[in-house]
Amino acid sequence: MLKKIDHLGIAVKSLAEAVPYYEKALGLKCEHIEEVPSQKVRTAFFACGEVHLELLEPTDPESPIAKFLEKNPAGGIHHVAFGTDDIQAQLEQASGAGVRLIHDKPFDGAGGKLVAFLHPKSTFGVLTEFCIPKPGTSTH
Ligand code: ZN
């Protein structure tokens, strides 16, 4: 079952340029910065109540974020991530409803989580992530 919106993924060209906006203009605190090799991104996490913002900077031209920025040069909201209590069941439910999956198995994402994505062509344009904390890791 989906529990909450866990985070919003926001594509930026440069964390060095974007982080000060979130810190100084919005007054949020950068909790940590982490490189995620599986997605070829560097991420910066901010908490806003229960929801996190995940800024995503590409580390490679082949990164999905680099491709997103080619189409959206100013950056922007890249994905919505739902926290779930059973990621595999969530993927099976979506797939059973005819939704195209990008990943049919969860993989290691940022923040010590297992993640998997639904294809935006099946989700009315919203790249949708499911995530769940990996057992034994601190949560985001
Ligand atoms: Zn995410």
Side-chain angles (χ1 to χ4, degrees), residues 6-10 43 45 54 56 78-82 109-110 115 117 129-131:
D6 183 86
H7 64 271
L8 301 175
I10 298 171
T43 67
F45 278 95
E54 178 188 48
L56 301 148
H78 177 257
H79 64 271
V80 175
F82 294 96
V115 304
F117 288 84
E129 174 184 330
F130 296 141
C131 65

Side-chain angles (χ1 to χ4, degrees), residues 27-39:
L28 298 173
K29 187 172 168 302
C30 182
E31 292 188 328
H32 79 276
I33 291 184
E34 175 187 352
E35 191 148 340
V36 186
S38 63
Q39 294 290 283

Side-chain angles (χ1 to χ4, degrees), residues 6 13 15 22 24 27 30 44 46 48 50 56 67 70 72 80 85 87 90 96 108-109 118 131 134 140:
D6 183 86
K13 268 187 213 145
L15 288 183
Y22 286 90
K24 297 199 175 90
C30 182
F46 296 83
C48 183
E50 286 252 310
L56 301 148
K67 297 194 169 133
E70 277 170 27
N72 306 276
V80 175
D85 55 5
I87 197 166
Q90 216 70 56
D108 286 342
L118 307 182
C131 65
K134 276 204 287 186
H140 248 296

Side-chain angles (χ1 to χ4, degrees), residues 18-19 22 41-42 54-55 63 76 83 85 94 127 134 138:
V19 166
Y22 286 90
V41 292
R42 193 171 303 115
E54 178 188 48
L55 304 191
S63 164
D85 55 5
L127 178 59
K134 276 204 287 186
S138 68

